[in-house]
Amino acid sequence: MGVPLWLVVVTAAKSQGEALSPDLSLPSRWLLWENLARVWEQGDVPRAFLGSVLVVAPSVLLVLTFGSMASWVLARRATRLNAVLYACAISGIVLPPAVVTIVLLLRQLGLAGSAVGMIGVYVGIYLSTVVFFVTGFVRTVPLSIEEAARMDGAGPVRVFFAVILPMLRPVLATATILICLYVWNDVFYAFFVVGGRLDTLPLNLFQVANAGLYLNNWHLIFAYIILMSLPLLVVFAVAQRRIISGITGGAVK
C-alpha cells in the first residue's frame, strides 16, 4: 500500500519533465503545492467536488436508511419468505448489474443524465452491502430490548428509530465508509448514466486527463488524485475505530 501512495505523492511533486516517466525517485525540486494549486484553479475541482457531494450524500443516506430497515425485518422474522428475500438481497454483492438495462430503464423513467437517476442506481447497487452487514449485526442485539420498548408503548417505527438505529452506529459507520469509497471513486456508472451533464471528481478527472492541459502532464494528474482522495482519507482516519468494531461486531458475538 505504501509504494503506490509514495508514487502518487512524489510524482505530484515533480515538474512536467521529471514526471513523464513516473518512478519512485524523489523530485529534484518539490512542486507539490504549486501543482495542487494549479489543478484546483484550472481543473474545475470545486465544481466537481460539489457534484460528488450532491451524489454521494443522498446515496449514502438513502441506502443506509432503507438497508437498515430491511435488515431489521429480515433478522427478526425467521420465515421462509424472508430467507428467500435475504438471499436475493445479498445476491447483489456477487451478481454484476446490467449496465445496458439500467441505462434503458432510466431513459424510460426520464431520469437518464440526472443526479436523481445516478442516486437511484447507487442505492440499488449497494443496498446488498448494507443488508449483508447490518442483518448479521441486528441478530446480535438482544430481543428483550425491543420487547421492553414495546411494553412501554413504542410502536415499530419508534422501536426502530429510538432503540435499534442508535445501536447500529458501529456497523453503519463501516457501511458508510465502504459505500462512500465506492460511490466517490466511481467513474464507470457515472460515465454511462450522467455522462457530461453532471461532473463528479472521478468523471471530471477522466475528462480532463484527455484534454490539452493534462495531456502527458502526469504531475497534474497525480496532484488531482491527491485532492480527490483527501476527503475520504480524513473520514477514514476519524472513523477507523468504529470501522473495525463494526466489521467484527456481527461476526464474533
Side-chain angles (χ1 to χ4, degrees), residues 14-82:
K14 294 179 179 179
S15 62
Q16 180 182 13
E18 291 180 323
L20 285 177
S21 299
D23 53 38
L24 301 177
S25 62
L26 289 171
S28 58
R29 178 168 168 260
W30 282 83
L31 301 173
L32 180 60
W33 296 112
E34 291 84 347
N35 292 336
L36 291 176
R38 184 179 177 187
V39 169
W40 180 270
E41 295 174 359
Q42 301 180 9
D44 291 332
V45 173
R47 181 167 58 87
F49 177 82
L50 179 61
S52 290
V53 172
L54 291 176
V55 171
V56 172
S59 299
V60 173
L61 179 62
L62 291 175
V63 76
L64 291 181
T65 303
F66 293 146
S68 300
M69 291 178 176
S71 299
W72 182 46
V73 175
L74 293 174
R76 291 306 191 208
R77 299 183 180 179
T79 63
R80 291 185 178 180
L81 176 60
N82 281 344

Side-chain angles (χ1 to χ4, degrees), residues 71-206:
S71 299
W72 182 46
V73 175
L74 293 174
R76 291 306 191 208
R77 299 183 180 179
T79 63
R80 291 185 178 180
L81 176 60
N82 281 344
V84 174
L85 292 176
Y86 176 73
C88 293
I90 65 174
S91 65
I93 298 177
V94 295
L95 297 178
V99 179
V100 176
T101 305
I102 291 175
V103 174
L104 293 177
L105 177 61
L106 292 177
R107 288 180 179 176
Q108 292 293 328
L109 297 175
L111 298 176
S114 66
V116 176
M118 193 71 258
I119 292 170
V121 170
Y122 287 139
V123 172
I125 291 175
Y126 300 120
L127 195 63
S128 299
T129 303
V130 178
V131 171
F132 176 74
F133 273 98
V134 179
T135 301
F137 193 90
V138 171
R139 289 170 179 165
T140 67
V141 178
L143 186 60
S144 57
I145 298 178
E146 298 179 27
E147 294 174 346
R150 291 193 180 96
M151 291 181 63
D152 290 336
V157 176
R158 187 173 181 183
V159 170
F160 176 77
F161 285 101
V163 178
I164 299 300
L165 194 59
M167 301 182 68
L168 298 180
R169 284 181 295 181
V171 70
L172 290 182
T174 305
T176 299
I177 296 299
L178 292 176
I179 297 170
C180 283
L181 180 64
Y182 298 150
V183 177
W184 189 268
N185 293 326
D186 176 65
V187 65
F188 182 77
Y189 295 106
F191 180 80
F192 285 100
V193 176
V194 297
R197 304 178 192 178
L198 176 68
D199 267 347
T200 62
L201 285 171
L203 190 59
N204 188 56
L205 175 60
F206 175 77

